[in-house]
Amino acid sequence: MDYGAGDVCQALSWMFHKSAFPYKNWTENVPRDVILMRNLYQDFCHVNLDVCGPQEKTFLVDHPGEPVNKYTLQVGDECIISPLSLFYTDLLKITGTKMTKIQNRQPSDAEDPFDAEFLRETGRKRETADATANESQNFEAANETQPSINPDEDIVVDTLETGPGEMVALAPGQVLSLDAAILQSIDRCTSEELKRKMYSSILIVGGGVKVHGLNIWLQNRLALQIPYTYKTEQLEIVTSPKDIDPASTVWKGAAVMSCLESAIELWINQSEWSRYGLKILRERAPFIW
């Protein structure tokens, strides 16, 4: 998805400046001002319908070599509208056109026995006999009159139903909301048991989720849309695993992996990815692909 916390903060800035933002020297291209708006987003914004109406907020502008200035700001619905843009993506058009990017299929290689297209179109036929004596006798009698079948024989499937490997069709200009993206991702899992596990615990990372009540709002929206078959007793939305800052959670794995001596062997450059595509992950990825 082509949006994130930066776009939400820009939407908040746009609404603040429409309501006489007191810090007149704020500039969107200056890093320190961008950090200031991000802090205002985390401190002022919320997703709590019980908090409404105008409120008076104060913030400090402390730049090196300059006196500290204190500003007072009257805030209202913009504090709840800006984080809700993650669910109502039309609000993000304030910062420009957004797109949903989908990874294209890699070309099939007939000489590769682990080619993704080959694995998708083949299945392994396995038959098991029941433990009852009558069915066992019938099974043996049937084997005497019929040619034996190798249980490990690969069966090529000629017609396929739409499954996890199919592309998601989106209308031009359509942008998935956060809850819709989660539902589509889980729906593309291969088994019902895996879908139930995915729905039971959902991890959301990034600085955009550092808003009071956002996890509860997302949990309620998902609870209304999850198919009854996959509903679990507990739907948990995790935003701060082990009290880690959500803005840095996504980098923890890479930070640990970069300290390994063998990390140099895991790099994939652009030319290798363009030439081999997903197949190179089976050789370089530190986990089973």
Side-chain angles (χ1 to χ4, degrees), residues 110-128:
E111 298 181 357
D112 184 5
F114 297 101
D115 178 67
E117 191 72 14
F118 174 80
L119 295 177
R120 188 181 72 88
E121 294 188 358
T122 58
R124 189 169 297 277
K125 182 179 179 182
R126 300 183 182 277
E127 297 180 354
T128 57

Side-chain angles (χ1 to χ4, degrees), residues 16-229:
F16 273 168
H17 284 82
K18 289 294 183 179
S19 57
F21 190 61
Y23 178 37
K24 302 300 182 182
N25 295 328
W26 187 89
T27 306
E28 63 178 3
N29 296 325
V30 178
R32 63 186 185 185
D33 289 342
V34 173
I35 295 175
L36 171 64
M37 189 57 61
R38 183 191 63 187
N39 293 335
L40 295 182
Y41 169 76
Q42 297 174 3
D43 296 338
F44 294 169
C45 291
H46 61 88
V47 186
N48 186 357
L49 297 180
D50 294 331
V51 179
C52 58
Q55 293 181 330
E56 187 176 279
K57 300 287 186 179
T58 60
F59 63 94
L60 300 177
V61 177
D62 184 7
H63 294 325
E66 299 180 7
V68 179
N69 296 315
K70 182 178 181 180
Y71 295 93
T72 301
L73 173 66
Q74 290 285 339
V75 299
D77 292 340
E78 60 265 33
C79 290
I80 191 173
I81 291 176
S82 56
L84 286 182
S85 60
L86 296 173
F87 304 96
Y88 304 96
T89 54
D90 287 343
L91 297 171
L92 296 174
K93 293 181 180 179
I94 295 174
T95 60
T97 305
K98 301 294 181 295
M99 299 177 61
T100 299
K101 300 178 182 179
I102 301 176
Q103 184 176 1
N104 296 326
R105 284 190 182 279
Q106 296 290 329
S108 179
D109 184 4
E111 298 181 357
D112 184 5
F114 297 101
D115 178 67
E117 191 72 14
F118 174 80
L119 295 177
R120 188 181 72 88
E121 294 188 358
T122 58
R124 189 169 297 277
K125 182 179 179 182
R126 300 183 182 277
E127 297 180 354
T128 57
D130 293 334
T132 59
N134 293 335
E135 291 181 350
S136 178
Q137 293 177 357
N138 294 335
F139 181 76
E140 293 176 357
N143 285 339
E144 293 177 357
T145 58
Q146 296 180 1
S148 60
I149 299 176
N150 185 358
D152 293 333
E153 181 181 0
D154 289 338
I155 306 299
V156 177
V157 181
D158 295 329
T159 59
L160 292 172
E161 298 179 355
T162 301
E166 297 297 330
M167 300 292 290
V168 178
L170 296 174
Q174 179 183 357
V175 179
L176 289 177
S177 61
L178 179 59
D179 54 324
I182 293 174
L183 290 170
Q184 282 205 13
S185 298
I186 297 179
D187 186 60
R188 291 162 65 83
C189 293
T190 55
S191 64
E192 294 186 357
E193 183 63 26
L194 181 58
K195 291 179 182 180
R196 292 191 187 95
K197 290 182 179 179
M198 292 296 179
Y199 279 124
S200 63
S201 181
I202 298 173
L203 173 64
I204 308 295
V205 299
V209 302
K210 297 172 67 174
V211 175
H212 176 69
L214 185 67
N215 57 333
I216 303 299
W217 185 278
L218 176 59
Q219 181 178 354
N220 293 335
R221 285 183 64 90
L222 290 176
L224 295 175
Q225 301 178 69
I226 295 176
Y228 181 79
T229 308

